[in-house]
Amino acid sequence: LPIILLVLILRSFLAEPFQIPSSSMEPTLDVGDFILVNKYTYGIRLPVLRNKVITINEPKRGDVMVFFPPNDSRYFIKRVIGTPGDIIEYRNKTLFINGEQQTQSAVVNAPMDIYSRELLAEKLGDKSHSIYHYETRPQKDFAVEVPTGHYFMMGDNRDNSSDSRVFGFVPEENIVGKAVAVWMHWEDWGRLLRYP
């Protein structure tokens, strides 16, 4: 009983493992990655009710965050692009935040892959991360302002991600935690038994 209680406390308030179910965060996170999510970075929340009882930090632009989309009970993981009050524009597959273009540059010696994806390095403020663009998939331009208490999320696999462009802004109470580490990769049992 004490061990079960300890595990429940750890999973409810401190950290919890999640597995990446889709390719929307490639190349940062692969399908089958097990990640560790810090559940207290953004504050202590009550289990099930998800009400914040202690405020610690707020999500920052560039964080990789686990959350529930509006009207959905599934866990999603995306990158924080817009924080409350930000004006987010997307023009010709390039982000502009509060009127400032977020630079993208081709990764050296990274040719187009078999899916016609181009690997780019994108900077959000002073943070840099990798993203994919599909050469053959057009994307709609848009401009939005992030309302108070909400966040705008996007996947790093930009042209193959169901994110705030689809389900809208993520309310603060839907935040689960911040992804902090990949601790294992395991796609399925078949992969475990397959030989090269």
Side-chain angles (χ1 to χ4, degrees):
L1 185 61
I3 293 174
I4 293 173
L5 185 61
L6 178 61
V7 169
L8 286 174
I9 291 172
L10 287 173
R11 287 177 64 100
S12 297
F13 298 105
L14 300 179
E16 187 171 355
F18 292 93
Q19 187 176 24
I20 303 300
S22 75
S23 63
S24 69
M25 278 300 290
E26 290 180 345
T28 305
L29 298 169
D30 293 324
V31 176
D33 280 352
F34 280 87
I35 61 169
L36 189 64
V37 175
N38 184 324
K39 299 185 79 170
Y40 65 86
T41 297
Y42 304 132
I44 305 297
R45 297 173 186 274
L46 294 175
V48 183
L49 299 175
R50 301 203 299 263
N51 294 335
K52 187 188 288 187
V53 292
I54 300 174
T55 299
I56 298 176
N57 296 304
E58 300 297 333
K60 295 180 176 59
R61 195 179 300 125
D63 287 356
V64 176
M65 189 167 78
V66 173
F67 59 93
F68 295 101
N71 305 311
D72 199 326
S73 60
R74 297 173 297 166
Y75 291 111
F76 274 50
I77 180 166
K78 310 288 179 189
R79 190 175 298 278
V80 178
I81 300 297
T83 58
D86 283 345
I87 296 174
I88 309 297
E89 297 177 75
Y90 199 55
R91 302 200 302 264
N92 194 26
K93 298 191 180 185
T94 301
L95 275 171
F96 293 79
I97 301 176
N98 300 323
E100 184 178 339
Q101 181 177 343
Q102 308 304 295
T103 60
Q104 295 177 353
S105 56
V107 175
V108 179
N109 298 325
M112 198 82 68
D113 69 6
I114 60 171
Y115 303 108
S116 297
R117 297 185 299 191
E118 183 181 14
L119 182 63
L120 302 172
E122 178 181 73
K123 288 196 76 174
L124 289 179
D126 59 352
K127 295 181 180 178
S128 183
H129 60 275
S130 298
I131 61 172
Y132 275 139
H133 277 170
Y134 286 76
E135 188 178 52
T136 56
R137 295 189 188 179
Q139 286 290 320
K140 290 183 179 179
D141 293 350
F142 64 84
V144 295
E145 182 173 355
V146 185
T148 301
H150 291 74
Y151 295 87
F152 192 89
M153 313 298 295
M154 291 179 79
D156 290 347
N157 195 355
R158 286 290 162 76
D159 301 327
N160 190 28
S161 173
S162 177
D163 48 38
S164 285
R165 292 171 288 182
V166 175
F167 52 68
F169 304 107
V170 175
E172 192 275 338
E173 59 267 21
N174 286 23
I175 293 172
V176 175
K178 180 180 179 180
V180 293
V182 176
W183 60 277
M184 187 173 74
H185 177 84
W186 186 1
E187 291 186 34
D188 53 47
W189 286 96
R191 294 275 182 180
L192 182 68
L193 301 174
R194 188 174 300 154
Y195 293 94

